[in-house]
Amino acid sequence: MSSNTIGLSLPRILFLPVTGTWTLPFAAYLLLLSNRTVYQRQRHEKYLGDKLAQESSNNEQSNPDPLHLAVRSHQNFLENVPLAFIFTVVAELNGGNKKALNYGMAALLALRILHVEFGMYGEETVGAGRPIGYYGTQAWLAGMAAYGSYLVKAYWEF
């Protein structure tokens, strides 16, 4: 049997190799963020809600609530990455440059890690990575949406 066959010697077709390549690194980081949230919930025995303290304190930025920080880091990832994967799939299925898409996904993962690890978990939750990660992700989403639209411009007879 050849390594390019499945089952009854049918050829294997790779429909989304770029997107498929990036599922593991993004899933691994998502699992890290998810496990941080679970860890904080178990550590503080707070299984419902997103904050440990009922009232917000004045020094929230210098002494952030660890559960709230973990929950928001996880949510921020989930607010952006699924849409980014959809945009990548659209571009890849419409003939996007695979090298450019791979570099784009690498950049997005770096931006998301910057946002959390060097931003939200940075000094007073506003490390340099936070604005870089946020604005970089927004630019990435706009750019990938534009690229996906560009790839199908012939459909609209431009």
Side-chain angles (χ1 to χ4, degrees), residues 62-127:
S62 62
N63 187 20
D65 181 325
L67 176 60
H68 188 65
L69 189 59
V71 167
R72 285 304 309 149
S73 297
H74 187 230
Q75 287 175 339
N76 284 342
F77 187 87
L78 290 173
E79 289 167 357
N80 291 285
V81 172
L83 185 59
F85 264 81
I86 291 169
F87 288 176
T88 303
V89 166
V90 168
E92 191 171 6
L93 287 175
N94 286 294
N97 180 296
K98 292 187 182 348
K99 191 173 190 178
L101 291 173
N102 270 305
Y103 284 136
M105 291 300 281
L108 178 65
L109 183 60
L111 289 166
R112 297 317 308 156
I113 290 172
L114 273 171
H115 182 260
V116 173
E117 305 303 327
F118 301 99
M120 294 183 74
Y121 281 96
E123 188 176 332
E124 296 188 356
T125 70
V126 289

Side-chain angles (χ1 to χ4, degrees), residues 2 10 15-16 19 26 47 67 79 83 87 108 112 129 145 147 152:
S2 165
L10 298 174
F15 287 107
L16 298 167
T19 309
F26 277 93
Y47 301 105
L67 176 60
E79 289 167 357
L83 185 59
F87 288 176
L108 178 65
R112 297 317 308 156
Y147 184 50
V152 298

